[in-house]
Structure formats: structure tokens, C-alpha cells
Amino acid sequence: MATKFFIPSVNILGQDAVTEAIADIKTLGFKKALIVTDKPLVEMGLVEQVVSKLASSDIAAIVFDGVQPNPTTANVASGLALLESNHCDFVISLGGGSPHDCAKGIALVATNGGHIKDYEGLDVSTKPQLPLVAINTTAGTASEMTRFCIITDEQRHIKMAIVDKHTTPLLSVNDPELMRLKPAGLTAATGMDALTHAIEAYVSTAANPITDACAIKAIELIKGHLVEAVDNGQNIQARDQMAYAQFLAGMAFNNASLGYVHAMAHQLGGFYDLPHGVCNALLLPHVQAYNAQVVPARLKDVAQAMGVDVSAMSDTDGANAALEAIKALSSAVKIPENLTQLGVKAEDIPTLADNALKDACGLTNPKQATHEEICQIFSNAL
């Protein structure tokens, strides 16, 4: 069977990446950007830096800073209205996963019409989105380079998974200088999100040699640099290596897809408005314990990538070692111990499980679960 591989046309990584990206934008002939971001980045001064750089290249910018941590359908509608009223000819997303996802939603509806809810699912749109330049400020979600767009439907209290080739940005930018000021908690959560992307892609039923190579290298880099990035955010080398790690993890899951960790974490985010990376980190060892029933050898590879000597281990022992390595890294970067600490309630689990089984991310999990099994995984994480 043929394999499709999705990635932005151009990807710029490393110091001074933003400056180089703006030179590329000027060459492309764009005139007026809608910058989709959030208020904290405005307060940090990062938005003004980008606006000034654009202005020096004769590119105008309108700022939409109304993106919530879990972007909503209302956020997309508000940003779209601002884009249309100002006649912007392209979109810049500036931030982490939330601004990128919101920007994708805006850009997709701008050309396809209707409402963002119309595009839930796989490749529903018929037209390419408005050109999108995604400038990343966190090392985790990889949304700056993927075809995944996660938007919260406030009415249904769920996160919609929009997986669409037309939401792939035109240009992705990862400049570690923009990541220096991110707080330790956010660095930890996004780093564990990247680890989840890599591991879920590696055990996915849609994995292939290209995604495998990206996933294993991402795991190695995260193990080697996440703790330092959390403990010393000014370490530009650690920030740079984490940017590469999350990008590689993005290449892996953008093409091999994900699994039940994300299918379940999306429900926690939509139902309780919880941080996505933290939910992933807490669910990751529990879902992989379930997957170890069918892919212990793959999880043994994960353990090896995380620095465990597995040469004398059986596949089962290697899989268990991977679970312990995941838990140890999560603890080292101070992720909460369980979902109860986040306010998740046992009585909500059946509803969460119902919605998780409808999430497209679960389709490539290596073992398909029953409703009872998903409930048990949630319960194990409490």
C-alpha cells in the first residue's frame, strides 16, 4: 500500500529563524498578515518583535490575541471576522499549539466557508486554506508543521480533531530564542507532549520506516535535553535540541497518526479545560501498559531510546522498563502524579470514554479497546 508523507513546504529551525522567515514572506509577496496569538505573548513583547520585523519589510499586521489555552469555535469565529474585515492575505500563528490550531481553523474556514465544526474528521475540506506561516514558541505540540487542528466545541464540551492535508502550514519556524522565557511548567508539559507524539507514532498501526526513524531520534533528544530545558530555560542549546525533538516527533505523528493517549487526553481537555501536555503525560504510561499486550518489542525500543540497557531483557521486561522510564522523566519535570490532582472525577469516566472512542486519533492505536477498557485506563490514571 502506498504511503503519503505530509510536511510544510519550507521549515526553518535554529537561531535567527524568524528573521530568515520574514525574508521568505517578503519574497512570496504577502502584504498583510493576521497574527493569531495569545495575550501572554503580547505581554512578553514577542508579538511586537514580530510586528516590527514585518513592518521593516513593508508587511502590515493585524493582531488577534484572543486565543484561549484550548482554542474554541468562538475563538476561530472571532479571528476570522477580524481577518475578513481587514482584508488580510495570509495568516501568521505565533505561539504554541493553541495559536497554531486556532490559526489553522481561521485559515481553513476563510477559503472553504461555513463553520469550523463543518470540518471535523479526516480531509473534509475541498480547498487549500489561506497561506499560513507558523512561528513556534514552545517545544512540544509540533502544530506548526502538522495537518492536525484541535478545536474545542463549547456546546458539546469536546475537542474536535480536524485532520486535514489543507491545514498544513506553508512555512514553519522554530527559533529557540523565542523559547527562552517560557516557564518551567509549560516547558515540561509541552516536552512530555512531544514524547507522547513520538511514542504513539512509533507504536501506531500506520508507522513506517520514515516515521520510526523520526520517532526514535525524537525520544533520544527529549530524554537528553528536556530536564535541562525545564531546569535552565536560558540554556539555548537545550532549547534548540528540544525544538528539533518536537519537530521530529511531529514528522512522526503527522504521518503515522497517534493513539488512545491523545484520544483520551482530548476529552479531558474539552471536559475540564485541562492542559493538554499534562493530560498526555499522565495517561501515557497507562495507555502503553495496555498496548504492551500487543507491541512489547516496540516499547522495548522506546526504553532503549530513553537510555535503558535492554540488551538482556525480554520484550515484556523491556516494555515494562519503558513504562518506568516514562514515569521517571515525568516525575523529574514535576508533572502531577495523577488525574485526581487535576480534578478529574470517577463519575465522569463513562462519558469521557464514550467520546474518546469517537476520536479519530484512536483509530491507529495498536490494540482497539472496548468502552470498559478505556474506562479502566482512565481509572488507573486517577
Side-chain angles (χ1 to χ4, degrees):
M1 185 175 71
T3 297
K4 292 182 179 180
F5 199 84
F6 298 94
I7 191 171
S9 298
V10 179
N11 305 275
I12 307 174
L13 298 95
Q15 290 180 269
D16 297 321
V18 171
T19 300
E20 187 166 340
I22 290 174
D24 284 359
I25 292 170
K26 185 176 179 65
T27 300
L28 290 168
F30 298 134
K31 299 298 183 183
K32 193 172 190 178
L34 176 73
I35 298 180
V36 179
T37 188
D38 55 35
K39 287 181 172 58
L41 290 183
V42 173
E43 293 166 359
M44 290 171 63
L46 291 182
V47 176
E48 180 54 37
Q49 288 180 31
V50 173
V51 170
S52 296
K53 287 178 180 289
L54 289 167
S56 67
S57 294
D58 298 321
I59 301 168
I62 301 297
V63 176
F64 172 64
D65 63 1
V67 180
Q68 297 173 217
N70 289 306
T72 65
T73 57
N75 293 163
V76 172
S78 296
L80 178 64
L82 191 62
L83 179 144
E84 291 176 341
S85 64
N86 286 277
H87 307 289
C88 299
D89 61 348
F90 77 115
V91 180
I92 293 177
S93 55
L94 178 63
S98 297
H100 297 320
D101 284 357
C102 188
K104 290 175 181 178
I106 293 167
L108 192 68
V109 179
T111 55
N112 283 272
H115 190 280
I116 190 59
K117 292 181 183 180
D118 301 334
Y119 303 101
E120 183 176 7
L122 177 63
D123 287 332
V124 177
S125 72
T126 58
K127 300 176 184 177
Q129 67 183 1
L130 203 65
L132 171 61
V133 175
I135 302 176
N136 206 21
T137 65
T138 62
T141 70
S143 186
E144 84 284 356
M145 56 78 63
T146 70
R147 60 194 170 112
F148 284 70
C149 173
I150 309 299
I151 303 294
T152 297
D153 182 339
E154 308 99 314
Q155 293 181 337
R156 291 184 290 165
H157 299 288
I158 66 165
K159 284 191 172 186
M160 299 185 297
I162 298 163
V163 186
D164 197 310
K165 60 182 177 293
H166 289 145
T167 66
T168 305
L170 175 67
L171 169 65
S172 81
V173 185
N174 274 280
D175 192 328
E177 289 289 349
L178 300 182
M179 303 175 186
R180 282 184 187 264
L181 299 178
K182 290 306 174 92
L186 179 62
T187 301
T190 53
M192 291 301 294
D193 189 19
L195 180 68
T196 305
H197 292 155
I199 293 173
E200 288 215 285
Y202 192 69
V203 302
S204 164
T205 58
N208 62 61
I210 299 174
T211 62
D212 284 353
C214 293
I216 290 297
K217 187 60 181 179
I219 295 167
E220 292 173 352
L221 288 173
I222 293 164
K223 171 60 178 175
H225 299 282
L226 177 58
V227 173
E228 176 62 19
V230 170
D231 291 346
N232 180 12
Q234 293 297 318
N235 185 326
I236 198 68
Q237 174 69 8
R239 292 290 193 183
D240 186 53
Q241 292 302 295
M242 279 302 301
Y244 275 101
Q246 67 90 36
F247 188 89
L248 284 164
M251 289 177 67
F253 90 82
N254 195 36
N255 296 282
S257 196
L258 294 160
Y260 284 142
V261 180
H262 274 77
M264 296 167 70
H266 289 159
Q267 312 323 314
L268 294 171
F271 200 86
Y272 297 104
D273 197 27
L274 294 173
H276 177 65
V278 174
C279 293
N280 275 342
L282 289 173
L283 290 168
L284 180 59
H286 299 286
V287 172
Q288 299 318 314
Y290 175 79
N291 290 338
Q293 298 173 74
V294 293
V295 288
R298 288 245 138 187
L299 289 168
K300 181 181 177 181
D301 293 342
V302 169
Q304 183 173 19
M306 295 188 75
V308 179
D309 182 0
V310 299
S311 57
M313 292 185 183
S314 66
D315 289 349
T316 298
D317 288 343
N320 289 332
L323 304 183
E324 292 306 313
I326 292 166
K327 293 175 185 176
L329 182 58
S330 187
S331 177
V333 296
K334 300 179 176 59
I335 296 292
E337 293 182 0
N338 54 58
L339 293 177
T340 300
Q341 293 181 356
L342 301 182
V344 177
K345 299 175 182 178
E347 57 263 34
D348 295 330
I349 286 178
T351 299
L352 295 170
D354 281 340
N355 292 330
L357 286 169
K358 299 172 186 174
D359 191 296
C361 290
L363 297 176
T364 46
N365 198 76
K367 178 175 169 58
Q368 290 299 295
T370 64
H371 183 269
E372 182 180 3
E373 287 172 326
I374 294 293
C375 287
Q376 187 60 58
I377 296 170
F378 270 126
S379 297
N380 293 343
L382 285 178

